[in-house]
Amino acid sequence: SSSNSFWYCLLSAFFGAVLPDFWLKRRTDSRKLKIQNALPDALDLSVVCVEAGLGLDQALMRIADELQKPYPELAEEFRLRNIEINMGRSRQEAFRNLAERTGSEDLKSLVAILIQTDRFGTSIGQALRVFADSLRLKRRQRAKEAAAKLPVKMIPIMVVFIFPAIFVALVGPAVIQIARQLLPALGGK
């Protein structure tokens, strides 16, 4: 019938257009968050590698190898950046592609700092150390912000699940006593 075909078309549009976009958005947000959480540790490793005498490209290759198990997303992005450089792209272009691929604001800031240090010839180790400190501070602030939001998120759960149980436990005995006293009196016994 025509009413069923309308619902079939509507469900098909939902499952074919809306649901894949929702799934893809969640996956990209999850990947950005994983990269964002991995970045401070990667920067600490890069500071150690650069101060030990490795160049930036070799340090990023080493970081990609070391972070493969704990942070595979960031390690893969660093590998792709190294592959781009091996293919002949400039260092700046490879860094910009890295920032564009990930979409992480912290990584975009890191790329801007690395491009500036490369352009002006300043100390990469010092720039990485300062940026790593600021990222650790940002991570701490994000954790505090998430902790501050937690009581607000718990209110609906408490209203739906905990307060009814408390209400029944507190008011239940009184209702039973009232029912025992009033029902015989109202029934005429």
Side-chain angles (χ1 to χ4, degrees), residues 1-156:
S1 69
S2 63
S3 64
N4 285 341
S5 63
F6 169 74
W7 289 109
Y8 290 143
C9 289
L10 188 64
L11 284 174
S12 297
F14 175 75
F15 285 116
V18 176
L19 199 59
D21 287 341
F22 176 74
W23 176 80
L24 186 62
K25 175 82 169 125
R26 295 218 18 170
R27 291 283 303 224
T28 55
D29 289 345
S30 171
R31 183 174 170 84
K32 281 182 191 177
L33 184 63
K34 288 177 183 177
I35 289 173
Q36 184 175 353
N37 289 337
L39 201 54
D41 295 335
L43 283 177
D44 290 337
L45 278 173
S46 66
V47 168
V48 169
C49 290
V50 167
E51 288 181 351
L54 289 176
L56 184 60
D57 295 332
Q58 291 83 15
L60 291 178
M61 287 174 57
R62 176 70 182 210
I63 291 167
D65 292 338
E66 293 292 327
L67 295 180
Q68 180 57 42
K69 288 201 181 198
Y71 305 114
E73 294 84 9
L74 187 62
E76 182 64 29
E77 291 298 331
F78 282 158
R79 277 199 186 90
L80 286 174
R81 181 216 162 265
N82 288 329
I83 288 171
E84 285 182 0
I85 287 180
N86 290 339
M87 288 176 23
R89 292 210 174 154
S90 69
R91 184 185 279 185
Q92 291 180 358
E93 188 177 349
F95 274 131
R96 285 192 181 106
N97 289 342
L98 171 69
E100 187 177 328
R101 268 194 318 267
T102 59
S104 171
E105 293 301 320
D106 293 339
L107 201 55
K108 287 179 183 178
S109 300
L110 173 65
V111 164
I113 287 172
L114 290 175
I115 288 173
Q116 285 178 355
T117 58
D118 190 38
R119 182 179 300 156
F120 298 125
T122 58
S123 171
I124 292 176
Q126 182 65 26
L128 290 174
R129 183 180 303 280
V130 170
F131 190 70
D133 290 340
S134 70
L135 273 185
R136 270 189 236 100
L137 179 65
K138 271 187 184 179
R139 185 177 7 179
R140 197 174 306 121
Q141 288 172 343
R142 285 184 193 124
K144 286 180 181 178
E145 181 182 344
K149 289 180 182 178
L150 192 60
V152 175
K153 291 180 180 179
M154 288 176 55
I155 288 174

